[in-house]
Amino acid sequence: MTIFQRIIAREIPATIVYEDDQCLAFRDINPQAPVHILVIPKKPLARVGESEPTDTPLLGHLLVTATEIARREKIDRSGYRLVINNGPDAGESVPHLHVHLIGGRPMGWPPG
Ligand code: 5GP
């Protein structure tokens, strides 16, 4: 069981900002910006690269939910970044799909 599954099960504390039947969103423990929230599916899908066509509605739901949280966090006008790290070269460290919602400060491009 991954650490994120333990957060879903409330075995590990997290600052949860949103929950519905399909997903959970909570603040990153090591925030890289004033707003850094992880939006994760409740279904234990390891990474976006392992999604299947049947996951299309779920993936869309994660993104739309992230945009709604961005509005609630009042970073929708200033801008924000949605990031999904897939695999070692991308820096994926938890094998449970998560969308990073990062904002509240200017960011450079491309990422390092
Ligand atoms: P990744 O590098 O896999 O894309 O992102 C994993 C993220 O999960 C990191 O930003 C890291 O700070 C965050 N994280 C890891 N463990 C925990 C935890 O126990 N609680 C919370 N809230 N975030 C975590």
Side-chain angles (χ1 to χ4, degrees):
M1 189 185 250
T2 68
I3 199 153
F4 289 175
Q5 285 172 277
R6 291 181 184 274
I7 288 173
I8 293 168
R10 305 302 203 268
E11 293 175 8
I12 291 175
T15 305
I16 293 169
V17 298
Y18 178 85
E19 180 173 22
D20 64 25
D21 58 330
Q22 296 179 76
C23 71
L24 187 73
F26 52 91
R27 296 193 190 278
D28 196 291
I29 202 167
N30 182 24
Q32 301 301 309
V35 175
H36 189 170
I37 289 167
L38 303 173
V39 186
I40 70 171
K42 289 188 171 175
K43 169 182 169 173
L45 178 60
R47 59 192 57 81
V48 70
E50 291 183 23
S51 61
E52 298 182 356
T54 52
D55 293 313
T56 302
L58 175 61
L59 297 179
H61 183 68
L62 295 176
L63 293 181
V64 172
T65 298
T67 67
E68 173 57 27
I69 296 169
R71 277 190 286 276
R72 293 185 187 185
E73 295 285 323
K74 303 192 188 318
I75 56 171
D76 52 314
R77 288 182 178 238
S78 54
Y80 55 87
R81 191 168 285 170
L82 301 179
V83 175
I84 300 175
N85 293 323
N86 190 95
D89 279 359
E92 176 200 312
S93 61
V94 180
H96 183 120
L97 174 61
H98 44 286
V99 178
H100 295 258
L101 166 62
I102 304 168
R105 66 165 173 82
M107 287 170 269
W109 188 264

